[in-house]
Amino acid sequence: MGNIRTSFVKRLAKELIETHKGVFTTDFEENKKLVQEYSTVSTKHLRNKIAGYVTRLVRIEQTQE
């Protein structure tokens, strides 16, 4: 079974990837720091959810190329 993410997490992750092209990597730890820097997320739990989804989207994008 996969994870179910809220539309807020998905929307914010996609916006971050679009506005900061080429910054995010497939490394979750690096993406956590970047999400903290580029967004105004208030909680660690939410930051980690967004960073995880960003990491997943970047990996999917790289495999399609």
Side-chain angles (χ1 to χ4, degrees), residues 8-62:
F8 175 74
V9 170
K10 291 180 180 182
R11 182 176 51 80
L12 191 58
K14 290 175 186 175
E15 284 178 9
L16 286 172
I17 289 174
E18 285 297 316
T19 56
H20 305 285
K21 283 259 190 230
V23 174
F24 292 101
T25 65
T26 56
D27 181 33
F28 173 72
E29 296 297 325
E30 181 68 26
N31 288 342
K32 277 198 316 191
K33 294 174 189 170
L34 293 171
V35 168
Q36 183 71 34
E37 182 180 333
Y38 293 134
S39 69
T40 58
V41 176
S42 57
T43 63
K44 182 169 56 171
H45 180 74
L46 192 55
R47 180 200 66 203
N48 289 346
K49 288 260 190 200
I50 294 168
Y53 192 59
V54 165
T55 304
R56 180 167 174 78
L57 290 176
V58 170
R59 283 184 182 160
I60 290 171
E61 188 177 290
Q62 284 183 352

